[in-house]
Amino acid sequence: MHDVADRLAADIESAAAGAPPAPVGVDHLLRQGRRSLLRRRAALGAGTAAAALVVGGGAWALAPAGTTASDTTDPAAPPAGDPLPPDTLARYDADTGELTIAPGWAVERRLDDPLTGPAAADFAVDRVDDSVGLVLTSGGETVWLIAWYGTEGSGDADAIAGTITTGPGEDYESFAVFLEITAAEASDVRAGEWGHTAALLDTDGEVQVKPGWTVAERIDAPTGPGSVAVDVTDGKRHQWFVFEAGGGEISDVAADPADPRTPDASYADFQAWVDDVVGGLAANRTPDEGAR
Amino acid sequence: MIRDRDASYVEFVTTRRDHLRRVAYALCGDWHRADDLVQTALVKLYVAWPRVRRTGSEEAYARTILVRASIDESRRPWRRERPTEAVPDAPAAAPLAVEERSALLDALHALPPQQRVAVVLRHWLGLSVAEAAKEMRISEGTVKSHTSRGLDALRSVLDTAGA
């Protein structure tokens, strides 16, 4: 056994000596990790707050964005909207968009719209209609949270409201980092996390297109069940894709984002390109892959 | 605190990433795929960091993700590919010239995925049969059979090379 083990160790070390450098730095991993953590919190925290928080019934309305904290923290402000759910310090009314805060809590700081806009892929809704980051204090206790509400799909569905928060004990520095990550996540989506690619196949097997783009042509199952070819356009440019979904994973096997073909390209051109891609895929596939 | 979490996480990544890259490379045989696997594992590790760190199982957690991801990946009908700026009309780039290959590694990477993983875990990383079975989510008996077959194949390569 030692022969193989020793040789394996030596050969792996030797291979590592000629390996390319790691492609991403620790900062990138941290950012990715924070985003993943945020998405997890968003998924778990929608509509809930830290269980350790205990607040009374009733609620009062928070003044519109842009007012100062002192304007918004009058404990004598009249109750508005439905009472907050137990253990919830702040929450939007998904029907009216009105934000309410539990009585006895003051807004120490606020940041408007950290999440507002198209939502991150794993978020509870497709679009966040309004959001606010808040540092709330009561007595000696400080809590930070982001309240949001939004809609799924076309917006025909009922709006959903939720609160992302952590338990007491976190400091403002942590809150600032949290807001920074959250805002960066939303900003990336708004600024075009899509990058040059204008279409993708989501985990449900549906084609999603970048905002402002539409599917001009579509060929179903060019390489078999679950595959689709699309011609997407923003009215000026076209991109052509062949997507395959297999084994629960998505393979965007060919994309042509930089293709110089313009609206002059015809359906026949698109079809010919798809045929080329499909032929190339078949030629490059092993018999084992092709048999699946 | 997020800052504490980040500091300890960065320390772990800084000290152990090279080793995890080697593990991933041993499992998949390609440095680029290895880096994808390691990145996936380290991002998941960040999310689970407080819990994993409390139990002192940081490396085992990351390695388990690598092992399972590599096995899962091998089950995909098609490997994942990223969109390109243009449809390639030329052959893919040749393997890195600087990469040192060996007949033993080639043979390792030619093994069926489960045999390869079993050999790496048992005979490179020194895990027990029980530990390997847990990471691979298979029975101890299956680990033994995979390991035995994998070792037989590798030994034949060594015998041939030494003949």
Side-chain angles (χ1 to χ4, degrees):
Chain A
M1 305 264 179
H2 290 300
D3 52 349
V4 172
D6 293 344
R7 280 291 304 274
L8 265 183
D11 288 2
I12 289 170
E13 281 306 309
S14 178
V24 298
V26 177
D27 287 348
H28 179 84
L29 291 171
L30 262 182
R31 184 174 169 82
Q32 292 292 102
R34 287 168 174 171
R35 287 181 171 190
S36 190
L37 181 63
L38 171 69
R39 284 192 287 269
R40 180 180 168 83
R41 282 177 172 169
L44 295 176
T48 67
L53 303 177
V54 178
V55 298
W60 52 271
L62 184 67
T67 55
T68 64
S70 60
D71 290 334
T72 66
T73 55
D74 178 6
D82 295 331
L84 289 171
D87 301 334
T88 300
L89 294 185
R91 187 176 174 85
Y92 279 100
D93 182 318
D95 294 327
T96 65
E98 185 175 70
L99 180 70
T100 57
I101 292 183
W105 288 84
V107 178
E108 185 179 288
R109 300 186 190 217
R110 69 176 285 161
L111 173 71
D112 292 305
D113 299 321
L115 281 176
T116 308
D122 297 348
F123 204 68
V125 294
D126 294 328
R127 177 181 175 79
V128 176
D129 295 319
D130 205 357
S131 61
V132 62
L134 298 170
V135 179
L136 302 179
T137 58
S138 178
E141 191 170 14
T142 299
V143 173
W144 49 271
L145 56 82
I146 298 174
W148 58 270
Y149 79 99
T151 48
E152 291 184 275
S154 62
D156 293 337
D158 291 339
I160 299 171
T163 306
I164 306 169
T165 186
T166 67
E170 301 277 4
D171 56 14
Y172 181 74
E173 186 177 79
S174 300
F175 177 58
V177 170
F178 180 72
L179 277 182
E180 176 191 326
I181 298 164
T182 308
E185 178 87 3
S187 172
D188 280 351
V189 175
R190 282 195 293 272
E193 198 173 31
W194 287 85
H196 295 297
T197 302
L200 56 80
L201 198 65
D202 68 17
T203 51
D204 295 325
E206 298 295 326
V207 174
Q208 301 291 336
V209 295
K210 187 176 180 177
W213 290 67
T214 58
V215 176
E217 304 287 356
R218 175 187 178 110
I219 299 174
D220 287 312
T223 67
S227 67
V228 60
V230 289
D231 169 0
V232 298
T233 181
D234 66 352
K236 298 176 183 174
R237 295 160 295 173
H238 284 244
Q239 294 183 8
W240 295 347
F241 298 85
V242 174
F243 294 115
E244 287 182 323
E249 296 287 339
I250 306 302
S251 294
D252 30 5
V253 297
D256 197 9
D259 193 280
R261 285 166 284 202
T262 60
D264 295 335
S266 66
Y267 178 76
D269 294 329
F270 172 57
Q271 196 168 33
W273 178 81
V274 172
D275 289 344
D276 284 347
V277 171
V278 172
L281 288 170
N284 289 327
R285 241 167 220 154
T286 65
D288 183 46
E289 286 174 323
R292 295 181 200 199
Chain B
M1 303 280 184
I2 285 181
R3 177 158 288 190
D4 294 340
R5 178 196 200 111
D6 288 358
S8 55
Y9 173 81
V10 166
E11 182 182 0
F12 173 82
V13 171
T14 303
T15 56
R16 299 308 294 163
R17 179 154 68 156
D18 283 349
H19 174 69
L20 291 172
R21 287 186 85 209
R22 286 167 168 76
V23 173
Y25 175 76
L27 294 173
C28 74
D30 177 278
W31 286 108
H32 298 297
R33 288 171 59 203
D35 283 322
D36 286 345
L37 290 173
V38 170
Q39 186 170 340
T40 298
L42 291 178
V43 168
K44 289 185 176 179
L45 179 66
Y46 180 87
V47 174
W49 186 250
R51 171 173 57 84
V52 171
R53 193 173 178 226
R54 265 199 306 275
T55 58
S57 55
E58 301 96 322
E59 187 156 326
Y61 183 89
R63 188 181 60 234
T64 300
I65 294 171
L66 290 179
V67 166
R68 293 178 182 174
S70 70
I71 292 173
D72 290 346
E73 188 179 66
S74 70
R75 290 173 174 152
R76 293 180 196 170
W78 303 290
R79 287 196 300 273
R80 181 180 183 83
E81 297 179 31
R82 303 299 306 165
T84 57
E85 288 300 316
V87 177
D89 54 8
L96 294 171
V98 294
E99 184 177 320
E100 294 286 341
R101 302 293 305 190
S102 78
L104 186 62
L105 285 183
D106 285 343
L108 174 72
H109 295 138
L111 293 176
Q114 300 258 18
Q115 287 183 27
R116 184 192 323 143
V117 172
V119 168
V120 168
L121 293 182
R122 293 277 292 117
H123 293 284
W124 179 44
L125 297 176
L127 269 62
S128 69
V129 172
E131 289 169 332
K134 185 177 177 184
E135 292 208 1
M136 296 176 69
R137 290 187 287 199
I138 58 179
S139 71
E140 294 185 18
T142 307
V143 169
K144 290 176 184 174
S145 64
H146 282 320
T147 307
S148 175
R149 289 174 190 163
L151 279 179
D152 285 346
L154 297 187
R155 282 209 185 89
S156 69
V157 171
L158 289 181
D159 290 344
T160 302

